[in-house]
């Protein structure tokens, strides 16, 4: 499944009302570790059809970053049934991202 760009406008529909778990990658273009993690997140999106994957650019969506207390990036948040269930801060290998999904 393709990665979705998440904004405050589509957050409720794409994340809170999603029937499947949603993995969000909070990132910024200037962030080196974010650039390392991005292809890993893209791979997971392609391989795991049971999970919706979205990316939130913290420079463009500061309200979403603030709402979830994202202080460091990259930050991965996992939502299930509209609730935040797990989070991880920092770049990680693919195995670490898959582990987060459970």
């Amino acid at each position: 499944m393709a990665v979705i760009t998440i904004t405050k406008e589509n957050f409720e529909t794409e994340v809170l009302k999603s029937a499947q778990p949603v993995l969000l990658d909070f990132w910024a273009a200037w962030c080196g570790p974010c650039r390392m993690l991005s292809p890993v997140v893209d791979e997971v999106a392609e391989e795991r059809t049971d999970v919706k994957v979205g990316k939130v650019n913290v420079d463009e969506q500061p309200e979403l970053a603030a709402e979830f207390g994202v202080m460091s990036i990259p930050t991965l948040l996992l939502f299930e049934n509209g609730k935040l269930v797990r989070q991880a801060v920092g770049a990680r290998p693919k195995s670490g991202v898959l582990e987060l999904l459970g």
Side-chain angles (χ1 to χ4, degrees):
M1 192 182 293
V3 175
I4 303 163
T5 299
I6 301 295
T7 65
K8 61 181 190 290
E9 289 77 23
N10 70 1
F11 183 81
E12 184 175 348
T13 306
E14 294 291 353
V15 179
L16 299 182
K17 293 183 176 174
S18 176
Q20 58 191 149
V22 181
L23 177 68
L24 292 185
D25 174 15
F26 284 78
W27 70 284
W30 48 263
C31 165
C34 299
R35 288 197 301 270
M36 289 168 33
L37 183 62
S38 186
V40 173
V41 171
D42 294 345
E43 267 182 50
V44 170
E46 290 301 317
E47 293 172 11
R48 294 286 300 261
T49 55
D50 59 324
V51 177
K52 185 186 289 189
V53 178
K55 293 189 180 187
V56 180
N57 184 322
V58 297
D59 289 335
E60 295 171 5
Q61 302 297 323
E63 300 91 346
L64 285 178
E67 185 175 338
F68 295 102
V70 174
M71 299 302 221
S72 300
I73 52 173
T75 291
L76 296 175
L77 302 182
L78 181 66
F79 289 82
E80 290 177 1
N81 301 316
K83 304 267 186 282
L84 176 60
V85 292
R86 273 184 232 110
Q87 63 187 61
V89 178
R92 57 199 54 241
K94 185 174 177 183
S95 60
V97 175
L98 293 172
E99 194 177 292
L100 181 69
L101 297 176

